[in-house]
Amino acid sequence: MWMSILPFVLMFVVFYFLLIRPQQKKQKQRNQMLNALGKGDKVVTIGGLHGTIVEMTDDIVVLRVNDVTKLTFDRSAISHASAKETAPAAKA
């Protein structure tokens, strides 16, 4: 009886370590990145739009694309964060 179940158990273990576990780790990293976002962060959306976060709520992010344009996105539409925007250096 155990010999007939053993291949299925081994397949599940292989699937867990090759597919399920890495996906869970990737999702955890993404959630940490989304929770760490703040005003002034430069981000890229899943559509490839680059912008700087101007306003945030729990679900919505407003990005400044240029000096005039502000676009509203769902927080889940953020693909990755680039860096914090720093104030321009004063010219001497």
Side-chain angles (χ1 to χ4, degrees):
M1 179 178 151
W2 287 105
M3 295 308 271
S4 63
I5 297 175
L6 187 62
F8 292 110
V9 172
L10 289 174
M11 275 191 343
F12 177 76
V13 169
V14 168
F15 275 114
Y16 178 78
F17 283 106
L18 292 178
L19 299 173
I20 299 170
R21 189 165 179 240
Q23 184 63 31
Q24 287 175 339
K25 288 176 90 174
K26 188 175 180 180
Q27 186 65 34
K28 184 179 178 183
Q29 288 175 340
R30 177 170 165 71
N31 287 339
Q32 287 176 343
M33 182 271 303
L34 290 175
N35 289 333
L37 289 176
K39 289 184 181 180
D41 286 346
K42 289 186 177 183
V43 295
V44 180
T45 66
I46 22 184
L49 184 87
H50 293 248
T52 304
I53 297 176
V54 179
E55 298 175 34
M56 286 180 53
T57 64
D58 289 340
D59 301 340
I60 295 176
V61 175
V62 178
L63 299 181
R64 184 180 70 234
V65 181
N66 59 25
D67 293 337
V68 182
T69 310
K70 292 181 182 177
L71 300 172
T72 304
F73 288 92
D74 283 342
R75 185 176 259 203
S76 62
I78 303 299
S79 172
H80 61 275
S82 303
K84 278 239 186 236
E85 184 176 83
T86 57
K91 293 183 180 180

